[in-house]
Amino acid sequence: MPSDTQQVMDEAEKLAQLVAQHPAVQKYKSAQKSVADDPEAARMLADFDRAYQRLAQQQQTGMPITDAQQDQLESLQSRIMSHIKIKALNMSQVEYVDLRRRISAVIDGAVQEQAGAAGAGPGGPRITMPRA
């Protein structure tokens, strides 16, 4: 039995509610809050963002990035990555993104299976779904 758009959207809403309650999502939200509430972490991230934007603008205007500028950016990045709360945020983000990737793979697999069942055999048309 074919599904209609509203039915798909209703089921997507149910899935969204389940995902929102998943421990990986809760851990990611908690880590985001922890970093946002930490003045040192927020300052470090803002410093890195400003330095990165400056270098990107410099590069766009055709001016090369010096070794000293590259070293400074890498130094900021190293300090950021060694901050315990930012490290926890990065790890939780990886878990969250992996959960979303696995969900997308299940959906893609079902779509491919349906396409195969509908007669898209070895010589037939292929459906390729964009990755989320």
Side-chain angles (χ1 to χ4, degrees):
M1 171 176 109
S3 60
D4 66 11
T5 301
Q6 188 57 51
Q7 182 183 10
V8 170
M9 297 310 293
D10 291 345
E11 293 301 316
E13 180 61 36
K14 289 179 189 176
L15 176 59
Q17 294 304 317
L18 280 173
V19 170
Q21 296 172 25
H22 192 278
V25 175
Q26 299 304 316
K27 187 175 175 183
Y28 181 49
K29 285 181 181 181
S30 175
Q32 284 179 314
K33 182 174 179 357
S34 181
V35 168
D37 290 347
D38 184 319
E40 179 187 4
R43 181 191 50 77
M44 291 170 73
L45 290 171
D47 289 349
F48 179 82
D49 189 51
R50 277 192 301 276
Y52 181 82
Q53 293 301 323
R54 260 195 324 270
L55 294 182
Q57 286 176 336
Q58 179 178 328
Q59 202 170 30
Q60 286 177 350
T61 62
M63 295 176 58
I65 297 172
T66 67
D67 288 342
Q69 290 172 315
Q70 184 68 33
D71 290 346
Q72 180 188 19
L73 190 65
E74 289 174 6
S75 174
L76 282 170
Q77 187 175 24
S78 291
R79 287 198 316 261
I80 287 169
M81 295 311 295
S82 67
H83 191 284
I84 190 93
K85 290 180 181 178
I86 296 172
K87 192 181 291 188
L89 174 62
N90 286 336
M91 290 173 56
S92 66
Q93 184 176 26
V94 167
E95 288 178 40
Y96 171 64
V97 169
D98 185 57
L99 174 65
R100 291 191 52 167
R101 180 197 57 76
R102 290 172 35 210
I103 291 167
S104 291
V106 169
I107 293 168
D108 292 347
V111 169
Q112 291 297 331
E113 190 176 294
Q114 283 292 336
R126 295 259 183 235
I127 297 174
T128 56
M129 300 300 292
R131 295 282 176 199

